[in-house]
Amino acid sequence: MIRLKSPEEVELMRENALLVSRTLAEVGKHVIPGVTTLELDRIAETFIRDHGAQPSFLGYEGFPNTLCISVNDVIVHGFPSEYRLREGDVVSVDCGTYYKGYCGDSAYTFACGEISEEDRRLLEVTKASLYEGIKQAVDGKRTGDIGYAVQSYAEKFGYSVVRELEGHGIGRKMHEAPGVPNYGKRGNGVKLKDGMVICIEPMVNAGSRQIYLDRNGWSVHTYDGKKAAHFELTVVVRKEQADILSTFDYIEKP
Ligand code: MG
Ligand code: MG
């Protein structure tokens, strides 16, 4: 069952999306060598609560924190910890809010200090693959068109996309139908309709697409130990082009 959102609901979701975007920017200011990922988590929780919202990840199916912080070979669902970030780390931060009855969800991969040219390219390509996916989020296309666009873009650079995890619809619940895979065939999958709100979130590995689950039961690692990146935005499917609710502008153009 896919529920289309009314214009009023879309505006409430935009408020959520922008709060998540601002939270990520606040966290990003503190992604520097020496900070612990648990300190970043506290910054995000305080910021969200100060804005009258709640962290939606905290307690979600038992998840213990406000943020998923996934460093280097951790692709997604990393636990904040006492680990101190180091120069050269690649740090994915995924954040969710619950506000006025709706959910927000967005992710950005930050560079900690100076990172290698190779890692810089992984981040740039992953982010660009997200925007390639967003171009397909228009009425009448299908989820497979999004997946194809993400996958074909990332693979051109020799990277691989994770298949076991995917984007999703969002609304009153953080994960709603449909699933939005980061791979696929054009013309396949669920048909997109004006008013659908979805999160597109490519997870791209520098090496092979094989993964393994950490013994904590949550964190997903690259099998070969190479780095991964993850970017996520929330968009509304529209007739001509998607309306992008969240933004990286607070991070990139402060
Ligand atoms: Mg997310
Ligand atoms: Mg998501």
Side-chain angles (χ1 to χ4, degrees):
M1 204 6 219
I2 301 171
R3 248 183 27 83
L4 304 178
K5 271 70 178 184
S6 70
E8 294 74 22
E9 289 182 291
V10 165
E11 291 319 306
L12 291 171
M13 295 197 68
R14 194 188 308 277
E15 287 185 46
N16 261 287
L18 292 178
L19 177 57
V20 170
S21 304
R22 290 207 303 271
T23 309
L24 287 176
E26 185 61 28
V27 170
K29 285 184 214 160
H30 298 88
V31 175
I32 48 173
V35 73
T36 71
T37 53
L38 208 48
E39 284 163 350
L40 298 177
D41 191 70
R42 293 204 191 95
I43 289 165
E45 181 171 1
T46 302
F47 190 87
I48 291 167
R49 294 197 192 280
D50 283 352
H51 287 80
Q54 284 154 28
S56 60
F57 293 0
L58 186 62
Y60 181 87
E61 292 181 4
F63 189 80
N65 293 93
T66 290
L67 299 176
C68 296
I69 304 184
S70 308
V71 181
N72 295 334
D73 69 304
V74 184
I75 307 163
V76 287
H77 303 165
F79 284 7
S81 71
E82 297 297 344
Y83 173 77
R84 285 187 193 283
L85 292 182
R86 296 183 198 162
E87 183 94 16
D89 281 345
V90 160
V91 187
S92 153
V93 180
D94 196 346
C95 180
T97 54
Y98 186 71
Y99 183 55
K100 298 186 180 175
Y102 290 86
C103 291
D105 183 13
S106 182
Y108 194 89
T109 303
F110 296 94
C112 182
E114 285 299 311
I115 62 173
S116 70
E117 198 50 51
E118 198 183 334
D119 292 343
R120 171 78 50 201
R121 196 181 68 139
L122 173 67
L123 268 52
E124 277 167 13
V125 168
T126 306
K127 189 169 64 172
S129 77
L130 165 58
Y131 289 108
E132 289 301 311
I134 289 173
K135 283 185 201 162
Q136 301 297 316
V138 293
D139 186 273
K141 295 260 191 185
R142 291 179 180 269
T143 52
D145 294 309
I146 296 176
Y148 175 82
V150 169
Q151 179 187 11
S152 57
Y153 187 85
E155 288 182 351
K156 260 196 314 209
F157 294 85
Y159 300 141
S160 53
V161 297
V162 174
R163 304 197 184 185
E164 291 81 355
L165 298 139
E166 59 186 17
H168 50 91
I170 185 168
R172 289 193 175 274
K173 294 203 184 117
M174 191 160 58
H175 295 123
E176 297 186 354
V180 183
N182 296 303
Y183 70 100
K185 290 199 172 78
R186 280 188 277 207
N188 277 16
V190 174
K191 199 174 223 179
L192 303 171
K193 288 203 182 103
D194 187 273
M196 277 175 58
V197 182
I198 56 173
C199 291
I200 304 176
E201 49 177 314
M203 289 150 254
V204 175
N205 294 350
S208 89
R209 71 175 181 86
Q210 312 310 324
I211 60 170
Y212 72 90
L213 186 65
D214 192 283
R215 61 180 72 177
N216 70 20
W218 277 93
S219 310
V220 179
H221 298 249
T222 61
Y223 190 76
D224 58 16
K226 292 188 179 172
K227 291 190 175 92
H230 175 219
F231 288 83
E232 175 178 23
L233 289 167
T234 303
V235 307
V236 190
V237 173
R238 291 303 189 201
K239 297 265 190 227
E240 302 296 328
Q241 59 173 24
D243 179 4
I244 307 176
L245 298 183
S246 42
T247 176
F248 299 143
D249 283 357
Y250 300 129
I251 297 168
E252 297 176 347
K253 302 171 196 160

